[in-house]
Amino acid sequence: MDKNASAQTSVIQKREGFIVIKEKSKNEENQSSNMAKVNHQFGKRALISNFSSAVAVTLLYPLEVHKTRSQLQGEINGQNEYTLRGFMKSVRGEGFQAMYRGYSISVFCIPLFNTIYFPTYEFFKHQCRAQFDWESDSTKLYSVSAGLAGIVCNIATNPLW
């Protein structure tokens, strides 16, 4: 047997005081190679997801602040100003920087939520397909997986908000 081939295919395990040398099958080698690819893809997806979430929060946060203020003022005064005129009135009155109050927690939590949500969603999707034998394009599969992933993420990130 070639030295290089045996170094690549042998796995040494210690069981009950004995050393066992086990040959790796092609399937096991392919699985470990696939896991490395999956881990790389996850890291790449997480990085892209976090970056895009941060950009979206940065660009849209003033609208979120305006929406929340308009809802609160509408409850108090009985009127809502969801329009661009209402937004500009807020900016003139308080300055544009005021539209970013609370931004730091959102720019931290939303990417964190997405980083947890998408792998959790994929996990539940695979688990539901395996457990219940649901078709891969089933609405039921997507709904249950998304719901469970949302619950897990809300429980994990809610204390941070």
Side-chain angles (χ1 to χ4, degrees):
M1 189 184 321
D2 183 24
K3 272 187 176 179
N4 291 337
S6 66
Q8 291 175 354
T9 59
S10 296
V11 177
I12 299 175
Q13 298 175 343
K14 191 172 182 180
R15 290 187 194 155
E16 299 175 9
F18 296 100
I19 295 177
V20 178
I21 297 176
K22 176 184 165 193
E23 296 294 321
K24 267 190 177 182
S25 68
K26 275 288 192 199
N27 189 24
E28 289 174 325
E29 288 179 14
N30 288 339
Q31 283 179 346
S32 63
S33 173
N34 288 341
M35 285 303 292
K37 288 177 186 176
V38 167
N39 287 337
H40 176 70
Q41 286 177 346
F42 171 73
K44 189 175 174 182
R45 285 181 177 177
L47 184 63
I48 291 168
S49 171
N50 286 338
F51 178 74
S52 61
S53 296
V55 169
V57 168
T58 302
L59 294 176
L60 299 175
Y61 195 75
L63 296 177
E64 185 69 26
V65 169
H66 175 64
K67 178 192 78 167
T68 303
R69 288 181 180 184
S70 295
Q71 288 172 339
L72 291 173
Q73 288 173 357
E75 286 181 13
I76 294 169
N77 300 336
Q79 59 186 8
N80 293 325
E81 279 199 63
Y82 292 118
T83 63
L84 182 61
R85 185 179 66 206
F87 179 77
M88 294 309 293
K89 184 178 172 184
S90 295
V91 169
R92 271 182 264 151
E94 299 178 49
F96 192 71
Q97 289 179 342
M99 301 309 281
Y100 279 93
R101 286 195 184 126
Y103 166 78
S104 59
I105 194 67
S106 289
V107 82
F108 172 74
C109 286
I110 290 173
L112 176 65
F113 182 92
N114 290 339
T115 300
I116 297 169
Y117 178 83
F118 289 110
T120 306
Y121 168 77
E122 289 295 325
F123 170 77
F124 282 123
K125 192 167 80 170
H126 290 295
Q127 290 297 314
C128 288
R129 282 186 68 199
Q131 292 288 325
F132 305 116
D133 197 30
W134 290 343
E135 293 181 27
S136 62
D137 62 346
S138 165
T139 303
K140 174 173 35 175
L141 174 67
Y142 294 130
S143 300
V144 170
S145 301
L148 291 172
I151 289 168
V152 168
C153 292
N154 279 321
I155 289 170
T157 61
N158 197 341
L160 302 173
W161 295 89

